[in-house]
Amino acid sequence: MTDDDRSPHQTSAARTALEGGFPAPAVTAVPGSTPLVLDSPHSGTHYPGDFGAALPLATLRRAEDTHVEQLYAFAPALGVAWVEAHFPRIYLDANRDVTEIDEQMLDAAWPGPLATDERVRAKVRLGKGLVWKFTDEGVPIYQRALSVAEVQARIDRCWRPYHAAVAAAIDAAHARHGYSLHINCHSMPAVSASHATDFPGLVHADFVVGDRDGSTATPALSALVCDHLRARGYSVEYNHPYKGVELVRRYGRPAEHRHSIQLEINRKLYMDEATLAPLPGGMARLQADLQALVRMLLATDPR
């Protein structure tokens, strides 16, 4: 089966191998007919041969939002637009801006602008910029300097097409309906590791709903999502510890009826975090509850 033949949500174990060339496509985009757009930037399992990481694949894979694409496999059949990255987050993080570069990782000065916001720079120093320096446990990913050219190539092959696909899907939804609803789909470990967030050791809720303090979606819409999930028996936090990052910041403009929410799901609900194996009962429950959430959003006009 070629990459072009595979379904948007199929994950092949073979694709977790460190491949000799860069896999194509880097992004799958399934058009929709509704106001809703879902995207999964961190569930990719194509590990390209030019990665040059010093760690074994099993360690690298712990950075994935593993199986998130399976949780939402029902969405395209409901007319929901779907965008999925196939490159791994630890290779390039599409949920970071291209200015979030750690120059200390490079063999030369970065020729483009660099982030200046101190909160953003703190995340880069933690090793979680556009190109990761450390795993969530603080282990160095590389034993070499990266070239400016290879980072630029990752941006061109991964970041740019991913963001173009998300932007196009949201624009199309907004053009059809006069508003758009965008859910940026993620998962999180049960307990935050030392280099994962600003809150190491934090025991996570079942869900975290983030809208960057009401700046990327109306608080009323976010409250609707929180209340819906709580009513189905889940614990939910709002904007803590995850407020949302680049994909909601860039595309969420509620004043223009463009709403973007980052939705984090606790991995303990659906997978074994040690082996990455899905838990069938947990997957089935989550898929049903996420489908109910999607149907509720499809019936919601936030204007």
Side-chain angles (χ1 to χ4, degrees), residues 50-54 105-106 141-147 150 154:
D50 67 0
F51 195 164
M105 298 178 65
L106 306 180
I141 296 167
Y142 301 96
Q143 291 182 353
R144 65 184 180 90
L146 278 64
S147 72
E150 69 180 303
R154 293 185 193 190

Side-chain angles (χ1 to χ4, degrees), residues 175-192:
R176 283 192 303 267
H177 300 279
Y179 69 95
S180 58
L181 305 173
H182 165 221
I183 303 297
N184 182 224
C185 306
H186 295 268
S187 69
M188 58 189 173
V191 180
S192 180

